[in-house]
Amino acid sequence: GENVEQHPSTLSVQEGDSAVIKCTYSDSASNYFPWYKQELGKRPQLIIDIRSNVGEKKDQRIAVTLNKTAKHFSLHITETQPEDSAVYFCAARDSSYKLIFGSGTRLLVRP
Amino acid sequence: DAGITQSPRHKVTETGTPVTLRCHQTENHRYMYWYRQDPGHGLRLIHYSYGVKDTDKGEVSDGYSVSRSKTEDFLLTLESATSSQTSVYFCAISESDGNNEQFFGPGTRLTVL
C-alpha cells in the first residue's frame, strides 16, 4: 500500500525567512496530494492541495510542487510569520481512494 | 468550520470497558472517516464509510468497529479498550472520495487507564 514519508520532523525559521517541507510517496497511482495545518489543540485544516496533472500551485505565500517522476512533493511557505507556527501534514490519496498522511512537521517561526 | 461535532470531547476510561465515540455532521456529506492521531504517526485511518451501512477498514482497524445507520452519524466503538488505544480521535467528512477536501471534527481525547 501507499507509504508517505515527511521531512523534517521539526523546523525552526526566523520570521520572514522561507520554510520548505518535503514528502515522498510510494504508490505511483496516487494522484491527489493535500497539505493540512494543525494549530496546537485544534483540528487539521486544508491549506492547499495539488493534483497529479499539474506541477505547481500557489496561493499567496504558500505553494506546493509535485515531481511525479521522483514521487515527491513539497510545501513552500515564503515570508513566514509567527502565525505560521503549527504542525503541517502532507497526504497522498492511494489507489483505493484513501488519504495516507505523513508523520507531520512542527514548524516554529521565531519573531 | 464545517458542521461536524464529536462527542464526548474528553473521556477517561479503564482497560476492558467498552467505549463509543460519536461523530455528527450537518453537511449531508456521503463519506465519513475515523482517524487516530499519535505523536510521530500523523493521522492514521481506522475505518471509513461511503454511505449508510457501507463501511470499510483502514490501516489500523484492529480493536475497533463502526456503524452508520444514518447519513449524519458515524459511531466508533472500542469493544474492550486497551491502553494502546489512548489517543486523540478525529472524525472527518468529505463530499466524495479522497480526491476532495476532508473536513475534520474537533477531536476526542481518549485516555485508557
Side-chain angles (χ1 to χ4, degrees):
Chain A
E2 175 70 281
N3 182 51
V4 177
E5 294 190 357
Q6 182 171 348
H7 300 281
S9 58
T10 59
L11 179 60
S12 180
V13 300
Q14 194 71 36
E15 181 178 359
D17 288 349
S18 295
V20 181
I21 302 170
K22 299 181 179 181
C23 290
T24 60
Y25 61 98
S26 60
D27 186 352
S28 57
S30 292
N31 61 6
Y32 174 65
F33 308 91
W35 285 88
Y36 285 82
K37 175 183 179 182
Q38 186 178 28
E39 297 176 350
L40 188 62
K42 301 289 184 64
R43 70 190 77 189
Q45 293 192 301
L46 182 74
I47 55 172
I48 195 167
D49 57 15
I50 191 168
R51 287 168 172 75
S52 58
N53 57 345
V54 298
E56 185 176 4
K57 182 177 180 180
K58 289 183 179 180
D59 183 2
Q60 299 183 330
R61 295 187 298 107
I62 61 174
V64 57
T65 58
L66 172 64
N67 183 326
K68 289 171 57 181
T69 302
K71 290 189 283 188
H72 67 71
F73 56 112
S74 301
L75 178 71
H76 305 254
I77 306 174
T78 59
E79 301 172 16
T80 53
Q81 302 168 2
E83 52 264 38
D84 294 328
S85 295
V87 178
Y88 292 81
F89 293 97
C90 64
R93 186 185 80 152
D94 71 6
S95 53
S96 60
Y97 305 102
K98 297 189 290 291
L99 285 183
I100 306 300
F101 285 83
S103 54
T105 296
R106 184 173 300 277
L107 174 65
L108 173 65
V109 179
R110 306 186 306 274
Chain B
D1 291 328
I4 314 169
T5 56
Q6 292 183 231
S7 59
R9 294 293 313 281
H10 303 270
K11 186 170 182 66
V12 179
T13 191
E14 294 187 350
T15 298
T17 60
V19 176
T20 295
L21 308 183
R22 179 182 183 235
C23 177
H24 179 78
Q25 60 144 331
T26 58
E27 305 295 324
N28 201 35
H29 283 0
R30 178 182 175 189
Y31 287 75
M32 299 185 76
Y33 309 83
W34 277 108
Y35 293 91
R36 60 178 289 174
Q37 184 174 37
D38 305 289
H41 290 278
L43 292 147
R44 292 182 292 175
L45 182 65
I46 305 171
H47 282 280
Y48 68 103
S49 170
Y50 46 96
V52 173
K53 298 192 188 317
D54 292 323
T55 65
D56 205 350
K57 296 179 180 180
E59 55 187 313
V60 289
S61 59
D62 287 349
Y64 302 94
S65 62
V66 290
S67 66
R68 191 169 178 201
S69 58
K70 299 184 290 184
T71 298
E72 57 265 37
D73 289 326
F74 192 32
L75 303 180
L76 176 70
T77 297
L78 291 65
E79 300 291 347
S80 177
T82 67
S83 59
S84 65
Q85 294 175 312
T86 292
S87 188
V88 178
Y89 291 85
F90 284 99
C91 173
I93 64 174
S94 68
E95 281 190 87
S96 64
D97 61 32
N99 206 29
N100 286 78
E101 180 175 359
Q102 288 190 17
F103 298 93
F104 284 83
T108 293
R109 182 172 295 277
L110 176 66
T111 301
V112 183
L113 301 175

